[in-house]
Amino acid sequence: MSTEAFDHTTRLESALNRRGNPLSVDAFMDILREMSDPASEPLSTGERAFLLETTDLTEEDLTPQAHEAVRMQVAEDRALAEKEARDSALTTGAVSELLGRQGASIRRSKLAGDLYALPTGNGRTTLFPAWQFVGSQVVPGLRTIIPNFPQYVHPLTIQQFMTEEKEELDGRSPVDWLCAGGAVEAVASLVAELGYE
C-alpha cells in the first residue's frame, strides 16, 4: 500500500471514529462501491424506451456490462490524456533553462499568475504545461486569463481551450492570438463563457 493510500485510509478511519461510526474502512468502502455500481439503479421502462427510440443505442448498449465497459474506457482515456499532459509538461528547471531565468524567478511568476502550473500533490514536482511557451517566450496575458477559468475546469480542458482554433479569434487559437498581439480581453471573455456552459 502506498504512503498516500495509507494516509487516506488512516484519515477515513479517524473521520468514521469521530462520528461514532462502528463501520470499518473496508465496510464503508464496500457500501460506496455498491452505491456506485451501475447495476444498482437500472433504467426505468420509460427511460429505456426513450433512449431506444430517440438515439442509436441498442438493448445491448443499455446493459450494466456495457455501462461498466464505457465507464472503464472513459477512465482509461482520461488517465492516458493526463499522463500525456504531464509527460509533455516542463519542470521548473526546464522552464528556467528555456526562459534563461533562475528557478526563484519562475516560482515568483507562477505565484503572480504569469505562468500556469498543473495542480500537484504534496512533495510533487511543479509542472508547467508546454502550450504556454512559444519559443523562449511565455504566452502573454495568462495572469488575466487563467483566473477566469471556472475553478472546477480540468487542466486538460484549459489546454484544449488554449490550443484549439476559435472562430471568434479569426480562426486562431488563443495561444496564437495572444502571441500575435491580440487583445487579452477577447480571450478572457471566451473563457468567461465557459462558466455558463
Side-chain angles (χ1 to χ4, degrees):
M1 179 184 292
S2 71
T3 306
E4 188 175 313
F6 178 76
D7 181 51
H8 290 302
T9 302
T10 303
R11 289 175 55 203
L12 180 55
E13 187 171 40
S14 295
L16 288 169
N17 288 337
R18 280 195 306 273
R19 288 165 177 77
N21 193 327
L23 291 176
S24 69
V25 171
D26 289 337
F28 183 75
M29 294 305 289
D30 286 343
I31 290 170
L32 289 178
R33 278 191 280 283
E34 182 180 316
M35 289 175 58
S36 64
D37 180 6
S40 64
E41 287 190 43
L43 294 171
S44 71
T45 304
E47 291 168 333
R48 179 178 293 280
F50 175 79
L51 289 172
L52 292 172
E53 290 171 15
T54 60
T55 69
D56 293 335
L57 295 173
T58 65
E59 282 286 349
E60 188 174 297
D61 295 327
L62 300 179
T63 64
Q65 295 81 7
H67 176 64
E68 181 62 16
V70 168
R71 191 184 70 74
M72 292 300 293
Q73 187 62 54
V74 168
E76 288 173 18
D77 291 348
R78 182 177 178 134
L80 179 61
E82 288 182 0
K83 181 182 181 321
E84 288 172 3
R86 289 194 178 282
D87 289 349
S88 68
L90 306 173
T91 63
T92 302
V95 173
S96 295
E97 189 175 318
L98 176 71
L99 301 179
R101 294 168 36 196
Q102 297 294 317
S105 171
I106 302 303
R107 288 186 285 279
R108 282 192 299 275
S109 290
K110 175 189 167 228
L111 291 173
D114 293 323
L115 289 174
Y116 172 65
L118 297 175
T120 60
N122 294 339
R124 295 179 101 180
T125 303
T126 300
L127 296 174
F128 298 89
W131 59 259
Q132 67 190 313
F133 305 103
V134 176
S136 60
Q137 300 294 314
V138 177
V139 172
L142 294 182
R143 183 187 292 199
T144 301
I145 294 165
I146 296 300
N148 286 327
F149 279 98
Q151 191 172 11
Y152 59 84
V153 172
H154 194 278
L156 292 173
T157 302
I158 294 174
Q159 176 178 315
Q160 182 178 16
F161 176 89
M162 293 298 292
T163 57
E164 285 187 347
E165 295 174 352
K166 310 277 185 241
E167 187 177 309
E168 301 89 335
L169 301 176
D170 299 331
R172 297 182 191 168
S173 71
V175 166
D176 292 339
W177 172 266
L178 294 166
C179 288
V184 173
E185 295 75 24
V187 176
S189 68
L190 290 176
V191 171
E193 291 174 15
L194 290 176
Y196 300 109
E197 291 180 0

